[in-house]
Amino acid sequence: MSRPTVLLPGPMNETVLAGTAEHFDVIRLWESDDPDAVLAERAQDIAAVATGGTTIDGAFLDRLPSLRLVASFGVGYDKIDAQAAAERGVIVTNTPGVLDDEVADTALGLLLMTARELPQAERHLRAGAWTERAYPLTKATLNGRTMGILGLGRIGEAIAKRAEAFGISVAYHNRHRKDVAYRYYPTLPELAAAVDILMIVIPGGDETRHLVDAEVLKALGADGILINVARGTVVDEEALVEALRSRTILSAGLDVFENEPEVHPGLLELDNAVLLPHVGSATIPTRNAMGQLVVDNLTHYFTHGTPLTPVHESADLVRNLPA
């Protein structure tokens, strides 16, 4: 019996490469001199795609008439048009759960770095300036602060637990209230006005693009700290640069940016911004666990008929799969 054919449009984690090679007929498209010719020749064979960042839209999906599953490496899947996939009967999966703690740890680390100016203090030491003068006292402390979490999902709840351990009060805004002890605010501006740390943990995409804008930043206020470990598109970067320059907010810690890997030059110039190169889940154990979940989604689907972690746009498709 022939093995299902899986397309890998671009380079992937070694766990994905090894796992797909073991179970499937794999097309490593990025290694081809003529990817379009390969797709045209093998289009009828391709039953699944495993991707770590390739844009997959309706036009791409239409080139693969036998496609049944897109397995995405990562929690966020904003480069995949999951609704267009659902309309074509294609299930999309992601990798939730296995990276929650790693991203939550990064979020709290970034908050500490930002509030206490730890990167700036280290640069002060490395430049030899400590022998001449002590690093200035920082304006911010975490004591007595309230964190507003925009997006209280798995990662948001993991961040909330860590924040509580630091003595930080927690509030949140979601589209819908959850059965949790944290205070709920029905709108984002209301949340921003009530807190002095705004932690962003919502998915990217058109629905959330520039959700954090000049109005929200003004509501956060002059003592406010913005932390983003979600997607750069959620924040209006022009508005953020202006808010940081004018001290409308105190500081920002960012692990994600609108046009990665390019970073807004205004952010690079600011001393009240701490910037990381999208490393929230970037440890070998976590990335391997994410890769294994990609493989497990593929193998479970083709062995048992159902994926393990479908995204919400695929819910109806999964419910209607044969028992």
Side-chain angles (χ1 to χ4, degrees):
M1 183 176 176
S2 62
R3 304 196 300 178
T5 299
V6 174
L7 173 70
L8 273 59
M12 296 284 287
N13 170 275
E14 285 296 329
T15 302
V16 177
L17 297 178
T20 53
E22 180 181 353
H23 298 285
F24 304 101
D25 173 23
V26 178
I27 300 173
R28 294 162 64 126
L29 192 64
W30 77 94
E31 295 180 344
S32 171
D33 293 332
D34 191 346
D36 286 332
V38 172
L39 281 182
E41 180 183 349
R42 300 293 307 276
Q44 293 290 341
D45 302 330
I46 296 168
V49 172
T51 176
T54 300
T55 297
I56 297 181
D57 54 16
F60 185 95
L61 295 165
D62 287 339
R63 300 177 70 179
L64 306 175
S66 301
L67 188 66
R68 295 152 64 187
L69 182 75
V70 176
S72 180
F73 180 91
V75 172
Y77 52 96
D78 41 297
K79 290 193 175 183
I80 300 171
D81 190 336
Q83 187 57 49
E87 292 166 1
R88 291 160 174 78
V90 177
I91 295 169
V92 176
T93 65
N94 62 345
T95 60
V98 294
L99 50 69
D100 297 353
D101 287 335
E102 209 75 79
V103 176
D105 289 345
T106 302
L108 265 294
L110 187 55
L111 175 59
L112 282 167
M113 293 168 69
T114 303
R116 293 298 311 279
E117 301 180 13
L118 300 182
Q120 298 92 321
E122 189 200 27
R123 291 196 293 271
H124 179 87
L125 180 151
R126 288 181 180 275
W130 193 18
T131 60
E132 301 174 6
R133 64 190 182 283
Y135 187 79
L137 301 179
T138 57
K139 297 177 181 178
T141 176
L142 296 184
N143 292 336
R145 283 187 175 265
T146 300
M147 176 186 291
I149 299 179
L150 175 57
L152 195 70
R154 291 185 182 92
I155 296 173
E157 289 190 3
I159 292 171
K161 290 178 182 178
R162 287 158 172 76
E164 288 182 296
F166 277 86
I168 298 171
S169 300
V170 175
Y172 73 102
H173 168 69
N174 279 2
R175 282 182 290 185
H176 305 290
R177 186 191 298 266
K178 299 186 70 172
D179 184 18
V180 294
Y182 311 127
R183 185 167 183 180
Y184 172 74
Y185 287 87
T187 71
L188 177 55
E190 287 178 279
L191 176 70
V195 303
D196 43 30
I197 301 167
L198 183 58
M199 177 70 68
I200 304 172
V201 209
I202 57 171
D206 292 340
E207 290 185 4
T208 60
R209 180 173 177 79
H210 289 186
L211 193 61
V212 177
D213 57 12
E215 177 190 2
V216 171
L217 295 170
K218 183 178 180 181
L220 184 58
D223 290 326
I225 298 172
L226 178 77
I227 304 293
N228 190 2
V229 292
R231 285 292 185 266
T233 54
V234 177
V235 178
D236 181 341
E237 279 191 357
E238 290 290 346
L240 176 59
V241 168
E242 178 55 33
L244 289 167
R245 281 178 178 158
S246 63
R247 305 288 168 161
T248 298
I249 66 172
L250 181 66
S251 56
L254 309 174
D255 185 43
V256 290
F257 305 89
E258 276 203 68
N259 300 300
E260 296 178 9
E262 300 298 324
V263 177
H264 192 300
L267 291 171
L268 296 172
E269 297 168 358
L270 292 165
D271 64 357
N272 56 342
V274 175
L275 313 174
L276 300 179
H278 203 152
V279 295
S281 64
T283 67
I284 292 172
T286 294
R287 290 293 173 86
N288 286 343
M290 292 164 62
Q292 188 59 53
L293 186 49
V294 169
V295 175
D296 291 347
N297 268 303
L298 290 164
T299 56
H300 201 273
Y301 177 79
F302 286 106
T303 302
H304 301 286
T306 57
L308 296 173
T309 55
V311 303
H312 70 87
E313 291 91 342
S314 298
D316 289 340
L317 290 175
V318 173
R319 276 194 293 268
N320 293 326
L321 287 170

